Amino acid sequence: MKTCNILRLAALTSSLIFSAGAIAADSFKIGLILPMTGQQASTGRQEEAAARLYMAQHGDTVAGRKIELIVKDDTTVPDMTKRLAQELIVNDKVNVIAGFGITPSAMATAPLATQSKTPMVVTAAATSSITEASPYVVRTSFTLAQASVSVANWAGKNKISKVITLVSDYGPGKDAEKYFSQTFTANGGQIVESLRVPLMNPDFAPFLQKVRDAKPDALFVFVPSGSGASLMKQFIERGMDKAGIKLIATGDVTDDDQLNGMGDGALGVVTGHHYSAAHPSKMNKDFVKAFEKANNGMRPNFMAVAAYDGMHVIYEALKATKGEGDGDALVTAMKGMKFESPRGPISIDPDTRDIVQNIYMRKVEKQHGQLYNIEFDVLKDVKDPGKTK
Ligand code: VNL
């Protein structure tokens, strides 16, 4: 009798353990680490909204697994990103980590992805070298080299011969400066001066004064998403445009999140980038409409589209591996993936795990009373020019 009870208990316990295991195996966890507060908070706001929209549109069950999105705020502090990633991997046992608002956050976390064999989908940070920091990194955002080379080529063909560059003094800024300058000078242009401003709380005034005094044909700028409006304000206040200095930039500066608030002084600014909310495809029109509807009229920017596509890459990899969720298998499934995004056709380069996409030349114009980046030229299927191999 006693033995029988013990056996019964053992059977019951093992079935409990088994079902707890089954529940855990059922859910597929995505740890999305973003700057929800701090200087780059708009990136977190845009990306979380886009990830949630993707799930609302595509359901939260994929290949039999329930998708669980865990959003964490790294407050734009790289040490915090790393700590949160560690907790998500060790305690929450997430299957994928994603997000990474700024390059130092992605760089601090990449070794953890390698050690734990966890796919790390980079949906924001854009320094070329990030994909080389871990074989588990897959990127759906862009690189500054992609954007800057296109602006340099355009400038060379549009009567701009003397340029000063002004970039945020960290990874993506250095890439923007390097790839713009390299291409522009190869086309016969001249870089008069290369200025770098601090990433955190930059005061552009003294730098812009310098530019005004030097009077180049154009000022080429990169500042990260969220910082463009203050740069533009000071550029206009100083009457730089009236002094005949043209502003050219990567699309981070005329970010759709802030563009409409920049005022008519932004009209005519030419940028190169991979996404505009005004991209005229049917898929993008539907995306913008659904995003605005779900978020009190907030216009999606290039960060939103990268998070939306990042979710797509994760969903499709999970489907391709039939819900298995093993880190190596997921990364293998992501390599070479090809699909239509609201930004246009994109793919994941199977060799570098970086995004291949169209880069558009755009000009700020008014449409229906609002400022937009209107595309006027396209370079198709651009691979990252910044890869060392
Ligand atoms: C980075 C690059 C961040 C481009 C950005 O916005 C951006 C980065 C937050 O790699 O840190 O627009």
Side-chain angles (χ1 to χ4, degrees), residues 230-246:
S230 66
L231 178 280
M232 189 69 81
K233 186 164 173 279
Q234 294 187 35
F235 187 87
I236 295 164
E237 273 172 12
R238 274 172 193 271
M240 312 275 291
D241 47 344
K242 298 204 176 68
I245 302 165
K246 202 170 166 42

Side-chain angles (χ1 to χ4, degrees), residues 29-144:
K29 295 182 184 172
I30 303 169
L32 185 61
I33 314 174
L34 291 166
M36 304 302 299
T37 52
Q39 185 171 294
Q40 260 62 55
S42 63
T43 293
R45 179 164 37 84
Q46 287 271 349
E47 295 224 353
E48 180 181 6
R52 296 207 185 281
L53 176 65
Y54 188 89
M55 290 182 71
Q57 290 177 333
H58 297 84
D60 63 358
T61 304
V62 178
R65 306 282 297 268
K66 174 113 175 127
I67 307 290
E68 201 183 313
L69 185 70
I70 307 173
V71 180
K72 298 280 182 190
D73 175 15
D74 68 14
T75 68
T76 326
V77 175
D79 282 347
M80 177 82 107
T81 319
K82 186 181 177 184
R83 190 167 65 69
L84 291 170
Q86 176 104 31
E87 282 171 16
L88 285 166
I89 292 167
V90 175
N91 301 343
D92 296 292
K93 308 216 169 355
V94 295
N95 300 87
V96 174
I97 49 175
F100 312 101
I102 55 172
T103 289
S105 292
M107 289 310 237
T109 309
L112 296 179
T114 307
Q115 283 157 26
S116 62
K117 299 181 187 296
T118 308
M120 173 169 164
V121 179
V122 174
T123 59
T127 301
S128 285
S129 58
I130 292 172
T131 45
E132 290 160 5
S134 167
Y136 290 87
V137 168
V138 172
R139 174 156 42 200
T140 61
S141 51
F142 75 111
T143 73
L144 268 305

Side-chain angles (χ1 to χ4, degrees), residues 39-357:
Q39 185 171 294
Q40 260 62 55
S42 63
T43 293
R45 179 164 37 84
Q46 287 271 349
E47 295 224 353
E48 180 181 6
R52 296 207 185 281
L53 176 65
Y54 188 89
M55 290 182 71
Q57 290 177 333
H58 297 84
D60 63 358
T61 304
V62 178
R65 306 282 297 268
K66 174 113 175 127
I67 307 290
E68 201 183 313
L69 185 70
I70 307 173
V71 180
K72 298 280 182 190
D73 175 15
D74 68 14
T75 68
T76 326
V77 175
D79 282 347
M80 177 82 107
T81 319
K82 186 181 177 184
R83 190 167 65 69
L84 291 170
Q86 176 104 31
E87 282 171 16
L88 285 166
I89 292 167
V90 175
N91 301 343
D92 296 292
K93 308 216 169 355
V94 295
N95 300 87
V96 174
I97 49 175
F100 312 101
I102 55 172
T103 289
S105 292
M107 289 310 237
T109 309
L112 296 179
T114 307
Q115 283 157 26
S116 62
K117 299 181 187 296
T118 308
M120 173 169 164
V121 179
V122 174
T123 59
T127 301
S128 285
S129 58
I130 292 172
T131 45
E132 290 160 5
S134 167
Y136 290 87
V137 168
V138 172
R139 174 156 42 200
T140 61
S141 51
F142 75 111
T143 73
L144 268 305
Q146 286 177 324
S148 307
V149 164
S150 67
V151 181
N153 279 323
W154 178 85
K157 289 182 205 137
N158 284 274
K159 301 196 178 77
I160 293 172
S161 50
K162 287 185 185 194
V163 169
I164 292 182
T165 61
L166 175 77
V167 301
S168 294
D169 192 7
Y170 77 123
K174 290 175 190 168
D175 275 3
E177 179 189 283
K178 176 178 168 187
Y179 290 98
F180 178 87
S181 304
Q182 195 171 288
T183 311
F184 188 61
T185 50
N187 291 341
Q190 186 194 340
I191 302 293
V192 178
E193 203 166 349
S194 307
L195 303 172
R196 293 182 182 177
V197 295
L199 168 62
M200 289 299 168
N201 308 310
D203 176 11
F204 299 111
F207 296 94
L208 291 177
Q209 190 54 49
K210 245 184 152 176
V211 177
R212 204 174 192 289
D213 295 343
K215 242 180 154 299
D217 300 323
L219 174 66
F220 168 76
V221 179
F222 161 77
V223 291
S225 183
S227 305
S230 66
L231 178 280
M232 189 69 81
K233 186 164 173 279
Q234 294 187 35
F235 187 87
I236 295 164
E237 273 172 12
R238 274 172 193 271
M240 312 275 291
D241 47 344
K242 298 204 176 68
I245 302 165
K246 202 170 166 42
L247 181 61
I248 55 178
T250 63
D252 310 71
V253 176
T254 56
D255 182 350
D256 272 302
D257 189 73
Q258 298 185 321
L259 178 58
N260 206 30
M262 291 181 191
D264 288 356
L267 284 167
V269 172
V270 169
T271 55
H273 229 210
H274 53 291
Y275 179 68
S276 164
H279 181 63
S281 71
K282 156 113 178 48
M283 186 179 195
N284 186 51
K285 284 180 183 156
D286 292 347
F287 169 70
V288 173
K289 205 165 152 194
F291 188 94
E292 289 182 343
K293 186 159 178 245
N295 297 287
N296 286 320
M298 174 166 77
R299 188 196 288 184
N301 71 356
F302 62 99
M303 293 299 186
V305 87
Y308 192 77
D309 293 338
M311 290 299 284
H312 185 75
V313 164
I314 297 167
Y315 268 47
E316 291 305 308
L318 188 55
K319 278 185 207 165
T321 59
K322 303 204 168 22
E324 196 207 312
D326 168 72
D328 285 298
L330 288 171
V331 172
T332 302
M334 290 175 187
K335 289 180 186 174
M337 214 178 255
K338 208 175 169 140
F339 56 97
E340 192 191 347
S341 151
R343 67 185 107 176
I346 64 174
S347 65
I348 302 297
D349 185 327
D351 299 324
T352 63
R353 292 161 278 98
D354 217 337
I355 187 160
V356 181
Q357 60 190 336

